[in-house]
Amino acid sequence: MDIKKQLEIEAKGDHLVLVVFYADWTPHYEWIGPILRTYEKRVVDLIKVNTEENQDIADLHNIGTVPAFILLHGGHELWRQVGELTVNELKEVLDDFR
C-alpha cells in the first residue's frame, strides 16, 4: 500500500498515528517501533515517509526539514517536532496523549 493511501485510511481511524519524515541520509529511528508497542492502552501506528521518494506528501504536511515527526489523530495534527527526537522525548509526548 502506498503512503498516501495509508495516511487516508489512518485519518478515518480513532487512534494515534506517528508520521516520521526522513531522508536516506538521516537516522532511520528503528527504536521508534519498539517504543510504540509499549503503549497498549491507546494504539499508535507508525508511518515512515522518505521525503526524497515522497516529496508531495512532505509538501502536503509542510515538511521542509528532516527529520520531522507529526502525531495525528483522526487526520488532525496534535503535535509536531522538527529535528532530532530522543526516546525519552517521544515517551513524554505519547504519555501526554494517553
Side-chain angles (χ1 to χ4, degrees):
M1 176 182 320
D2 74 348
I3 293 173
K4 190 176 283 189
K5 184 71 172 170
Q6 192 175 3
L7 285 167
E8 289 172 7
I9 291 170
E10 296 293 349
K12 297 175 185 171
D14 189 31
H15 54 277
L16 295 172
V17 178
L18 180 66
V19 184
V20 178
F21 294 89
Y22 71 95
D24 287 335
W25 48 268
T26 63
H28 289 246
Y29 297 94
E30 279 80 14
W31 55 264
I32 289 178
I35 295 299
L36 297 182
R37 285 191 285 281
T38 65
Y39 288 85
E40 297 175 13
K41 291 187 177 188
R42 187 131 187 213
V43 176
V44 181
D45 286 335
L46 175 64
I47 299 175
K48 294 181 180 178
V49 179
N50 183 332
T51 58
E52 294 174 335
E53 296 172 1
N54 299 285
Q55 188 61 50
D56 58 330
I57 295 171
D59 291 344
L60 181 67
H61 291 279
N62 298 317
I63 301 298
T65 303
V66 292
F69 306 85
I70 299 177
L71 188 64
L72 303 171
H73 182 262
H76 300 286
E77 185 176 315
L78 301 176
W79 170 85
R80 175 182 290 242
Q81 165 79 30
V82 176
E84 296 293 319
L85 180 69
T86 68
V87 172
N88 288 334
E89 289 169 333
L90 178 59
K91 286 181 179 180
E92 287 178 25
V93 168
L94 295 176
D95 285 342
D96 288 345
F97 290 102
R98 283 177 83 175

